Amino acid sequence: MTTIDGHGAEGQLDPRGPATSPAGEETTHQVNYPTDVVDVELELEQGYRTEIHKNHDDTVDVETYGGGFDLSRRATAPHLRVGKDRWFNLLWLIPIGFVGLLAAIAAGKGIRNIPGVEEFIAEYPGSMPSTKVESGLPAWAGWTHFFNLFMMMFIIRSGIQILCDHPRLYFSRNSTPGKDEWLRVGPPVPDDPYWTANADTVALPRHFGLPGFRHSIGLARWWHLGLDVLWLLNGAVFYVLLFSTDQWRRIVPTSWDVFPHAASVMIQYMSLEWPDDHTWTNYNALQLISYFVTVFVAAPAAVITGLGMSPALSQRLGLISKHLRLNIQVARSLHFLVLAYFLVFILVHVTMVFATDAFDNLNHMFAARGCVEGAEPGCHSAVGFYVFCAAAVVCILAWFAATPLTIKYPRVVQKVGFALIGPFQRTLEKLNPQPGTFTEDDISPFHWRNGRLPETVEYKEHEASDFQDWRLKVYGLVENPMEFSLEDLKALPYHDQITQHFCVQAWSGVAKWGGVQMSTIMDIVKPLPEAKWAVFYSMGLGATGGIYYNAHPVDQMWHHMSMLAYNMNDEPLPYMHGRPLRLRNELQHGYKLVKWIKGIEFVASYKEIGSGHGGYSEDHKFFGRHQTI
């Protein structure tokens, strides 16, 4: 066998550099490969491929999708944690809000009659001349407004669907149910040691979420992220046109007087005596502030918190994640609060549009028509209303068509979504996460479990013998096909790292993983130059049958944080977490980190494996092979 000292074969310097210790310090291992590692002769064309269940029908059967789910486990109303063990149903905010509205109206009418308040309103009527734009609202504002409405409709629906795939929010990266969660939209977690994150998902009404059936996060993410890209492009066009014209004056405060004017408008609204309407040329101060917050605070916050949920960015910016506590769960919770803001804004915005002269408002928004002071009565036309009705029909048809079209053409949704977001995901994969971000003090007390357990004869026989007869077969486009026992792997240089696990369902946890780096394995088997992908085969089954598998770029397997783990938190890998062996690739979500591994095949392409999409979840659940965000 070969002995190396931090170098590649034949004494050449390894271009990937020496091995890296968990503390981030470079070390050199004296590697003595075990002499009892034997060459294996496998049929390279097949291997474990024949054990994979192919998806021959690129449609979705909701009843059998994902192996079939109990559709009676449905989402609940949002519950907010109050104290240690009490939960407040947020639906109570509806009657509370109604009572509060009545109280505000009563207070407004009472305040309005106070002489000093009348003088205040006279001095600050609500609209400021400095925000006036004589040309009115341009057509491009109406078009960008409609596209924003159309895309937000699906972004919100798919976002709620994603939330229901892990119906709990935390501010702690540990994601401990009951302890760390501050809000939930599903039932409590049962006291079941075999309960998994997949089992914890909840169902939504068919036309409420998108695509509207349980554990459909793969398709929901394509809708959400793909439309996010288009929404950002629409927003960029809006920003450019806004600041290249004088329209920015309508929504950007330029004087502190905006605040007393806004207070005046609030009093007038509360008293049900509307302020003078000059919306065609300038918004009142309260509108100006609300639009400014929406466009320049809430929208960027949605983008920033969305990026904060990216595993690649969270690893790359681990220092911020650890010391500033801006971890993925904080980002997810803040992202939800931004969603709540948008929902409240939309509710208030639509209500006020129809409560304060709907025809004129719709004329402004949908027909770019309006009346200036002293104009003829004929300027108050119904054109905007008719355009609005047509736009509403388009939105309603799209709303109800989205779910059945997704069910019928899920592969199209997957491909279009990847075309939109794929380039950005591939860019994030190039970021280089550094080890040593976490310490043993950061290890999570609870770590969610997932995946269909390997309750097969093959696995049970290995488990009964304490995996003495288990072998890891490494084959394919390699110079030296090998078969490793668990003891063989333990005889190789030991590597451990404390890293954060990211599930595509959005839970996370920190654990210490111990085992052997993939680079060590590859130094032994020597992948051929044409080997571009490493395919990992599991003893665990996919939800609809056949074994679970996933493909990873060989370039990522050379990374010092890509490893085969047989220990977790200094103990043998637990059954629920992949015993005897699992993959760790810290650039990817958890569903790609195959557990209960029995084989690794190096291939030029994964197109001939399974259904050809790079993994079981990609084949059957329409996930993406690049899921770094």
Side-chain angles (χ1 to χ4, degrees), residues 130-449:
S130 61
T131 66
K132 193 171 185 178
V133 179
E134 293 291 348
S135 58
L137 279 166
W140 60 259
W143 279 106
T144 54
H145 177 271
F146 171 73
F147 289 137
N148 184 71
L149 159 70
F150 189 81
M151 288 183 284
M152 284 287 288
M153 182 172 70
F154 297 113
I155 289 172
I156 290 173
R157 284 184 63 191
S158 56
I160 294 172
Q161 184 78 59
I162 292 169
L163 172 63
C164 287
D165 225 72
H166 190 67
R168 309 172 194 285
L169 292 175
Y170 320 89
F171 282 111
S172 166
R173 67 169 64 90
N174 296 329
S175 303
T176 305
K179 178 183 177 182
D180 294 325
E181 59 184 319
W182 66 272
L183 184 136
R184 67 186 184 209
V185 293
V189 173
D191 186 15
D192 180 354
Y194 294 101
W195 190 255
T196 66
N198 281 352
D200 200 51
T201 60
V202 291
L204 283 167
R206 179 182 175 92
H207 290 294
F208 186 73
L210 182 63
F213 51 93
R214 191 175 168 191
H215 190 41
S216 53
I217 188 172
L219 292 166
R221 281 172 58 89
W222 291 128
W223 273 101
H224 196 74
L225 297 176
L227 282 170
D228 278 347
V229 173
L230 299 180
W231 180 72
L232 286 172
L233 290 175
N234 184 63
V237 170
F238 175 80
Y239 275 21
V240 169
L241 293 174
L242 183 72
F243 287 105
S244 62
T245 65
D246 57 357
Q247 292 294 323
W248 64 270
R249 291 163 52 190
R250 303 175 67 98
I251 63 172
V252 177
T254 57
S255 168
W256 292 109
D257 283 349
V258 69
F259 294 107
H261 277 285
S264 170
V265 173
M266 178 63 75
I267 294 171
Q268 294 175 71
Y269 280 144
M270 288 168 57
S271 66
L272 300 184
E273 296 181 27
W274 307 138
D276 292 338
D277 182 30
H278 306 288
T279 307
W280 175 243
T281 55
N282 60 323
Y283 297 129
N284 66 50
L286 195 59
Q287 289 175 306
L288 186 153
I289 291 174
S290 63
Y291 293 148
F292 176 83
V293 170
T294 301
V295 173
F296 298 109
V297 178
V303 176
I304 293 169
T305 55
L307 291 174
M309 291 185 280
S310 160
L313 284 180
S314 186
Q315 287 283 31
R316 184 67 179 86
L317 305 177
L319 189 65
I320 296 176
S321 172
K322 178 181 177 181
H323 295 292
L324 298 184
R325 302 294 180 184
L326 299 179
N327 59 67
I328 186 175
Q329 300 306 332
V330 171
R332 186 170 181 247
S333 291
L334 294 178
H335 201 64
F336 173 81
L337 293 176
V338 173
L339 166 65
Y341 169 82
F342 274 116
L343 291 175
V344 172
F345 172 81
I346 291 169
L347 175 63
V348 174
H349 177 61
V350 172
T351 300
M352 297 307 293
V353 164
F354 285 93
T356 60
D357 200 339
F359 267 36
D360 274 357
N361 289 331
L362 294 176
N363 241 358
H364 303 163
M365 297 163 60
F366 287 90
R369 296 186 177 193
C371 298
V372 295
E373 193 171 341
E376 295 294 328
C379 70
H380 299 279
S381 71
V383 174
F385 174 74
Y386 298 137
V387 176
F388 163 75
C389 290
V393 169
V394 170
C395 290
I396 292 170
L397 290 176
W399 179 289
F400 285 100
T403 291
L405 287 176
T406 301
I407 290 173
K408 188 174 182 179
Y409 303 109
R411 196 67 70 191
V412 174
V413 173
Q414 181 190 42
K415 291 178 179 178
V416 172
F418 181 72
L420 290 170
I421 196 66
F424 187 55
Q425 290 180 323
R426 289 193 295 271
T427 299
L428 289 182
E429 284 186 352
K430 297 177 182 178
L431 295 176
N432 182 31
Q434 299 298 319
T437 300
F438 298 99
T439 68
E440 294 195 2
D441 291 337
D442 299 311
I443 292 175
S444 301
F446 176 86
H447 206 287
W448 278 89
R449 302 163 293 273

Side-chain angles (χ1 to χ4, degrees), residues 471-488:
R471 296 293 183 270
L472 171 68
K473 297 179 176 64
V474 186
Y475 62 102
L477 297 177
V478 295
E479 291 183 18
N480 304 315
M482 292 287 177
E483 188 175 85
F484 299 85
S485 69
L486 192 56
E487 292 304 314
D488 293 334

Side-chain angles (χ1 to χ4, degrees), residues 315 433-435 495 497 499 559-563 584-586:
Q315 287 283 31
Q434 299 298 319
H495 171 82
Q497 60 195 36
T499 55
H559 196 284
H560 56 268
M561 293 182 76
S562 294
M563 64 178 295
R584 295 300 308 173
N585 175 0
E586 306 303 341

Side-chain angles (χ1 to χ4, degrees), residues 2-155:
T2 306
T3 300
I4 61 174
D5 297 295
H7 292 72
E10 301 179 0
Q12 296 178 351
L13 182 64
D14 189 339
R16 296 170 300 282
T20 308
S21 72
E25 299 176 355
E26 293 185 347
T27 61
T28 301
H29 295 298
Q30 177 72 28
V31 183
N32 296 307
Y33 296 123
T35 57
D36 57 343
V37 176
V38 296
D39 293 349
V40 294
E41 295 182 0
L42 294 170
E43 296 182 16
L44 303 185
E45 294 298 322
Q46 295 297 328
Y48 292 116
R49 298 184 187 188
T50 56
E51 299 180 38
I52 296 172
H53 173 239
K54 294 185 178 181
N55 183 7
H56 296 289
D57 185 10
D58 281 344
T59 60
V60 170
D61 183 343
V62 176
E63 298 296 326
T64 61
Y65 176 81
F69 284 97
D70 177 10
L71 299 181
S72 66
R73 183 177 173 82
R74 305 187 70 82
T76 65
H79 282 68
L80 179 69
R81 186 173 183 167
V82 180
K84 185 177 181 180
D85 299 313
R86 300 180 67 86
W87 292 86
F88 173 70
N89 188 333
L90 292 184
L91 286 183
W92 280 105
L93 292 179
I94 296 176
I96 292 173
F98 181 73
V99 172
L101 179 62
L102 294 179
I105 292 172
K109 287 186 173 294
I111 293 173
R112 183 67 183 261
N113 294 326
I114 299 175
V117 173
E118 287 290 354
E119 294 172 3
F120 174 75
I121 293 175
E123 183 177 358
Y124 298 102
S127 296
M128 298 179 293
S130 61
T131 66
K132 193 171 185 178
V133 179
E134 293 291 348
S135 58
L137 279 166
W140 60 259
W143 279 106
T144 54
H145 177 271
F146 171 73
F147 289 137
N148 184 71
L149 159 70
F150 189 81
M151 288 183 284
M152 284 287 288
M153 182 172 70
F154 297 113
I155 289 172

